[in-house]
Amino acid sequence: MDVQEVLHMVGGEGETSYAVNSIFQVSLSLSLSLSLSLSLSLCSFVCLCIADLGCSSGPNTLLVITEIINAIESARSRLGNPSLEYQVALNDLPGNDFNTIFKSLPALYEKFKKEKGDQFGPCFISGLPGSFLGRLFPSKSQHFVHSSYSVHWLSQVPLEPEDNKGHIYLAKTSSASVYKAYLEQFQKDFSVFLRSRYEELVPGGHMVLTILGRKSVEDEFNRDFCSLLELLANSLNDLVSEGVIEEGKVDSFNMPIYTPCPEEVKKMIHKEGLFELEKLEVFDVNWDPNDDEEEEFKLFDNFSSAKNGVRCVRSVTESLLSHHFGDAIMDKLFQRYTKIVADHLSKENAREKSKYVSLLISMKRK
Ligand SMILES: C[S@@+](CC[C@H](N)C(=O)[O-])C[C@H]1O[C@@H](n2cnc3c(N)ncnc32)[C@H](O)[C@@H]1O
């Protein structure tokens, strides 16, 4: 499977689309707080070049850009600096639904004009199809690069079809060589990513990444994220025992994702020596994106929570799954998955453990 050709979030604005189901990322994108010193350092240019890599299409795409521009504008007015122009590139793989983004740009420009007045901008936003695992921009042309929930995607699955039988990602019973293969693929891809951004950022330019990760080296099977994908593997295996799909099909499917721990990320940044690591924070969010309440205020029963969490996974993984297993079984697969996740959530303490771990990484180009 050529990941970069097949992977895309579910487009449009329908029930299973990424646009409708990316609330989980929205709450996190909002946590992207550009520090005061970072905003101040960016607001003194004549034309500020910003890139959002792996922007997808949906509310988050424009929300991230709006947040970044708001932070820089408030630093600018605090300093009394003259207005600056913005050149914003929204990047994703060519299969991304860029049309939905483009259609929402006039409303965004209108909003900027209304909220910020005639002194603002101008702001030029464009789409840039291509892989961030390689060069996207001319040398030293970018001042600020942002990316959320994208850089944990790998360029390819690093396994042979029979290496991880019955699983679709790292599982408790996967062999150590499976973990090693995933780690090495992440190291290769992240190295290409860092080198490409180093070429493109101006010296002193900034990069902020949010990625799925795990808490420690020891937790190599990243209990929570792995168990969510292991439950998806269980759903596929159920369909194997019912004769709906062939066993070999499950054996030969693995997710092209790696969730690194802080140590693995730090080691790579240090080894490449191209960026100064300014901040690395770890935080977590519920599988159910709508449920951000404390235990005693839980809003949703287990089945509703499972439905919310599964819709989010579907909007992200469906392109890969349907390419491999066929479109026809998708509804059946995700119905089974919802049931299995609901059963899992009803186990004692399962809800407290059902979290995604995220890493927020802030770097400065040397
Ligand atoms: C889960 S979405 C995140 C979207 C958005 N940034 C957010 O926070 O909601 C991940 C995006 O990364 C994109 N992506 C994955 N690998 C990529 C690559 N090598 N180059 C460009 N985009 C990539 C996917 O196509 C997808 O749209």
Side-chain angles (χ1 to χ4, degrees), residues 82-338:
S83 65
L84 63 158
E85 300 186 352
Y86 291 92
Q87 185 171 56
V88 179
L90 300 175
N91 155 261
D92 207 294
L93 292 169
N96 186 51
D97 181 9
F98 283 101
N99 276 338
T100 299
I101 304 178
F102 294 155
K103 284 184 200 143
S104 52
L105 288 182
L108 182 71
Y109 288 136
E110 201 48 46
K111 184 169 165 250
F112 280 154
K113 207 165 135 192
K114 209 162 134 197
E115 286 175 3
K116 302 184 193 307
D118 290 338
Q119 294 300 310
F120 171 72
C123 173
F124 307 100
I125 303 179
S126 55
L128 177 59
S131 172
F132 54 56
L133 297 174
R135 289 287 300 274
L136 292 167
F137 302 100
S139 300
K140 297 191 182 114
S141 61
Q142 302 300 300
H143 300 106
F144 181 62
V145 169
H146 171 265
S147 178
S148 71
Y149 294 99
S150 305
V151 178
H152 49 254
W153 285 100
L154 301 175
S155 60
Q156 58 181 52
V157 173
L159 305 175
E160 294 301 322
E162 300 276 301
D163 283 351
N164 199 25
K165 273 168 90 72
H167 307 296
I168 60 167
Y169 185 58
L170 289 167
K172 274 190 207 107
T173 52
S174 299
S175 68
S177 63
V178 172
Y179 164 66
K180 187 164 174 275
Y182 265 109
L183 173 62
E184 286 174 0
Q185 187 64 51
F186 171 74
Q187 288 169 333
K188 268 189 221 152
D189 289 345
F190 196 48
S191 158
V192 172
F193 181 84
L194 290 175
R195 289 176 195 196
S196 307
R197 302 299 80 79
Y198 177 78
E199 294 300 329
E200 296 163 353
L201 276 157
V202 296
H206 289 270
M207 176 149 78
V208 174
L209 311 176
T210 306
I211 59 173
L212 283 178
R214 64 188 206 279
K215 286 192 173 149
S216 67
V217 184
E218 291 74 38
D219 183 20
E220 72 258 52
F221 300 123
N222 186 7
R223 268 159 295 136
D224 300 330
F225 183 69
C226 291
S227 61
L228 186 64
L229 289 188
E230 192 61 357
L231 298 177
L232 181 55
N234 294 350
S235 318
L236 287 162
N237 288 326
D238 264 16
L239 298 189
V240 169
S241 40
E242 289 167 20
V244 178
I245 45 182
E246 287 166 29
E247 190 175 355
K249 274 279 183 197
V250 179
D251 294 342
S252 59
F253 181 84
N254 285 286
M255 282 290 174
I257 273 185
Y258 183 71
T259 49
C261 63
E263 288 73 12
E264 288 167 350
V265 171
K266 282 183 197 161
K267 208 166 149 186
M268 283 301 299
I269 295 172
H270 184 71
K271 181 169 166 256
E272 294 297 332
L274 307 172
F275 288 87
E276 203 180 294
L277 179 63
E278 295 190 307
K279 189 157 82 173
L280 200 164
E281 281 173 18
V282 181
F283 58 99
D284 43 35
V285 226
N286 288 330
W287 280 359
D288 172 1
N290 299 317
D291 189 354
D292 55 0
E293 303 291 328
E294 294 303 319
E295 180 62 20
E296 57 269 37
F297 300 117
K298 286 256 181 261
L299 292 173
F300 299 103
D301 59 77
N302 291 328
F303 190 75
S304 308
S305 272
K307 239 167 116 179
N308 294 336
V310 165
R311 275 217 298 255
C312 185
V313 176
R314 180 171 186 169
S315 72
V316 173
T317 59
E318 185 168 351
S319 61
L320 300 174
L321 290 162
S322 66
H323 176 80
H324 189 83
F325 296 101
D327 248 356
I329 66 148
M330 287 301 112
D331 284 341
K332 198 176 182 106
L333 172 64
F334 285 103
Q335 277 156 16
R336 184 63 52 91
Y337 187 33
T338 306

